[in-house]
Amino acid sequence: MISHISKDMGVTSFLKNGTFLLAILTLLSSFPLNHVMASVYTVGDQDEWSSQTNYARWAERHSFNRGDVLVFKYVKGQHNVYEVSEETFRSCDASSGVLAKYESGEDEVALNEVKKYWFICNVVGHCLGGMRFGIQVKGDSNVTDGVFHSPIAPTPSSNSCSSYISQRWRVIHNFLLFGLLLFNYSF
């Protein structure tokens, strides 16, 4: 019975002095933030995947890291998304060099490798009209300028604001709320 009381008092003391909170926060902070803070990007932002968007400019506003996800939203049948080789990207000829095809109208592409990614719309005339872009996916967020530019000027567009900062803040906000919840629970 005495050992049972000592155990309970030890747990209570552990919770009350904040050591528990410190241990949890230390554990959470030890996870690599690139994995916790992977971003989801809607290609073209509010303009989505359409022939009216300047994708080179859109891609320049973002820094892509391994684990991020690109979401291509478009009217199924009017557009598609092909992940292609650089040569196919530059020529807009998808008779070879196609790595993946997406045609659902709401395609999610996970950027799981540190490499150059190249995307085109393979509907006749769309790629040459500017529906294409290339990006460099990095392994960490300290590398700069991960954008590859199209050799042909893309179509003009009214670019919308990026939700990048908002997405990152949401993750930090959730961690803060979790920490406050633990803090209140322990006292």
Side-chain angles (χ1 to χ4, degrees), residues 13-182:
S13 155
F14 179 70
L15 289 174
K16 289 214 182 242
N17 70 15
T19 307
F20 178 72
L21 176 63
L22 184 60
I24 293 297
L25 291 177
T26 301
L27 178 65
L28 288 175
S29 68
S30 69
F31 289 111
L33 290 179
N34 281 345
H35 297 291
V36 173
M37 297 176 62
S39 295
V40 176
Y41 298 96
T42 298
V43 175
D45 296 323
Q46 287 85 355
D47 293 334
E48 300 177 344
W49 186 235
S50 72
S51 56
Q52 302 304 310
T53 303
N54 182 328
Y55 294 101
R57 274 194 231 140
W58 174 83
E60 285 175 350
R61 293 194 321 259
H62 302 288
S63 177
F64 302 98
N65 296 297
R66 182 180 36 223
D68 289 349
V69 176
L70 297 181
V71 178
F72 292 84
K73 293 182 181 183
Y74 55 92
V75 177
K76 184 178 179 177
Q78 289 184 5
H79 301 291
N80 56 38
V81 180
Y82 282 22
E83 181 184 342
V84 297
S85 66
E86 181 178 2
E87 182 179 327
T88 300
F89 167 82
R90 296 200 182 283
S91 70
C92 287
D93 179 4
S95 61
S96 65
V98 176
L99 306 174
K101 295 180 183 181
Y102 304 94
E103 299 175 331
S104 75
E106 183 128 357
D107 305 312
E108 293 186 9
V109 179
L111 306 174
N112 292 326
E113 297 179 53
V114 175
K115 70 173 195 171
K116 297 175 187 176
Y117 285 83
W118 306 95
F119 298 98
I120 67 170
C121 178
N122 195 43
V123 171
V124 175
H126 290 196
C127 179
L128 288 173
M131 283 190 74
R132 62 181 169 164
F133 67 98
I135 58 173
Q136 173 68 49
V137 173
K138 301 169 294 216
D140 66 39
S141 59
N142 294 328
V143 182
T144 57
D145 192 25
V147 178
F148 290 88
H149 304 280
S150 168
I152 298 173
T155 58
S157 143
S158 59
N159 287 315
S160 55
C161 289
S162 169
S163 62
Y164 175 79
I165 293 171
S166 174
Q167 292 169 351
R168 298 277 172 145
W169 173 246
R170 238 178 276 134
V171 172
I172 294 168
H173 180 258
N174 289 340
F175 274 115
L176 289 174
L177 288 176
F178 182 70
L180 288 173
L181 177 68
L182 285 174

